[in-house]
């Protein structure tokens, strides 16, 4: 397993450019199954999760080629309708093929994802919404086995805001008969992207960027050429890398609106930013103040930035609090930060952080994607050497993280194949 070896307390400088969004690309790959022919996606990040999803759709009979962000997918012929456990267990978003397969083929068999490092993450809403569209579903032998003659429009109110279930429903309803109305739909930019993508393919979805969506089913969707938006969570991570190292870097190629909740928090803490067009420059990181924040669905503070902001807060004098309301177990990074001298604890789902002057380098282990990125940032800020183990978690969602940080002046190296 690869590791990051980081010699901390180096200043960063220059520009860091954000890659295409992982969580926007994943549903687009599934949505390409809704049409027959060649879809082209640009700015697709070279990430483990993207390759897992490509393997899922390849297993269905799709042909593709990927070269430096350019992805060509041929969905003309599907040969099966099964997403196997071997792939789904490594990435839950594989469940995105459920809606498109049901809409196109009238059948889908998708392995149940099983446990997850950040919480139980049930898929009940995905299943219930497909049933409301008229699918017959059995959960059997570890699989969601779904059948439908023709999906029929319906009204759905989500009791919990779910990005994944909203996306799956949008894709299935796009080809259903009649009108589907979704209330309490997720507002995340990745949903906006999916709606724009589907409408460009010929779908009829109204209400983009609101929590009520009306989908009038169409008979056919057509393949398109589409460019993926920049990754808002990567942008937030790179911004915090600059703040934690007190470096005047510029984050390029990001829609600042997509991370407005984070920008508000760091400005409230005392960071001075200059935002122009798609660039965010850190002007000054002086004495920072602690904060209280709660993770909530978009446009609130994103759960995916919780461990990353928490790491910054361990270096900010005073008591800060993060109330994690989305995932039950997003706390595996905490004992690792404690190994680096942080004063941080979790009580129920409330993280309490007492800022210390500086972190101390240590061996730490990533247990999930965002927790791994948080430990990497801790290593950038710490004195001495930090070794982040199990960085395969980070490779799921950050494209060339060590190369980007290294070019900006960080002393970070990937050591290949070390086992612990
Ligand atoms: N939930 C249910 N039942 C369901 C689906 C969700 O109870 O059927 C609950 C979840 O357990 C959670 C809440 O609803 O408590 C929200 O989950 P959501 O469905 O919105 O999450 P997701 O679609 O599985 C996506 C991102 C996550 C991100 C969350 C929240 C992708 C591929 N994943 O997950 O990203 O944390 O939305 O914003 O888009 C990451 O990139 O590191 C990551 C985990």
């Amino acid at each position: 397993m690869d590791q990051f070896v980081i010699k901390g307390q180096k200043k960063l400088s220059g520009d860091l450019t954000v890659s295409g969004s992982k969580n926007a690309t994943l549903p687009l790959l599934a949505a390409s199954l809704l049409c027959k022919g060649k879809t082209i996606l640009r700015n697709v990040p070279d990430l483990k999760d993207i390759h897992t999803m490509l393997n899922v759709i390849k297993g269905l009979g799709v042909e593709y080629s990927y070269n430096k962000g350019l992805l060509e997918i041929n969905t003309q012929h599907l040969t099966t309708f099964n997403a196997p456990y071997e792939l789904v267990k490594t990435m839950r978003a594989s469940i995105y093929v459920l809606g498109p397969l049901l809409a196109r083929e009238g059948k889908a068999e998708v392995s149940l994802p099983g446990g997850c490092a950040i919480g139980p993450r049930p898929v009940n809403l995905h299943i219930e919404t497909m049933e409301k569209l008229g699918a017959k579903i059995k959960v059997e032998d570890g699989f969601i086995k779904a059948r439908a003659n023709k999906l029929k429009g319906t009204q759905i109110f989500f009791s919990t805001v779910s990005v994944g279930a909203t996306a799956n429903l949008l894709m299935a309803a796009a080809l259903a008969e009649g009108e589907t109305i979704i209330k309490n739909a997720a507002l995340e930019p990745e949903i906006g992207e999916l709606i724009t993508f589907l409408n460009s393919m010929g779908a009829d979805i109204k209400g983009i960027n609101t929590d009520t969506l009306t989908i009038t089913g169409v008979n056919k969707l057509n393949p398109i050429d589409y460019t993926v938006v920049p990754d808002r969570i990567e942008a937030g991570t790179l911004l915090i890398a600059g703040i934690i190292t007190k470096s005047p870097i510029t984050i390029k190629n990001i829609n600042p609106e997509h991370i407005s909740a984070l920008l508000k928090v760091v400005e409230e803490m005392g960071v001075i930013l200059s935002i122009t067009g798609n660039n965010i420059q850190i002007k000054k990181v002086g004495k920072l103040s602690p904060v209280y924040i709660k993770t909530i669905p978009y446009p609130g503070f994103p759960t995916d930035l919780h461990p990353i902001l928490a790491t910054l807060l361990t270096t900010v004098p005073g008591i800060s609090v993060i109330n994690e309301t989305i995932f039950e177990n997003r706390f595996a990074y905490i004992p690792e930060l404690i190994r680096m001298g942080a004063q941080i604890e979790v009580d129920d789902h409330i993280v309490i952080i007492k800022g210390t002057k500086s972190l101390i380098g240590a061996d730490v282990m990533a247990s999930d994607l965002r927790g791994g990125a948080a430990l990497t940032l801790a290593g950038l800020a710490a004195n001495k050497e930090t070794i982040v183990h199990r960085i395969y978690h980070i490779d799921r969602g950050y494209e060339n993280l060590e190369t980007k940080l290294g070019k900006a002046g960080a002393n970070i190296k990937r050591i290949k194949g070390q086992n612990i």
Side-chain angles (χ1 to χ4, degrees), residues 11 13 21 197 279 293 298 406:
K11 285 264 188 224
S13 61
S21 162
F197 183 77
N279 302 334
I293 66 141
Y298 193 86

Side-chain angles (χ1 to χ4, degrees), residues 22-23 26 93 96 118 121-126 160-164 303-304 326-327 330 369-370:
K22 164 178 85 78
N23 289 349
L26 291 170
Y96 277 145
I118 61 174
R121 302 183 73 181
V123 290
N124 59 309
L125 299 173
H126 297 253
T160 304
V161 177
S162 166
V163 177
T303 175
D304 290 342
I326 311 287
F327 290 118
R330 192 158 227 172
L369 166 59
R370 307 302 171 189

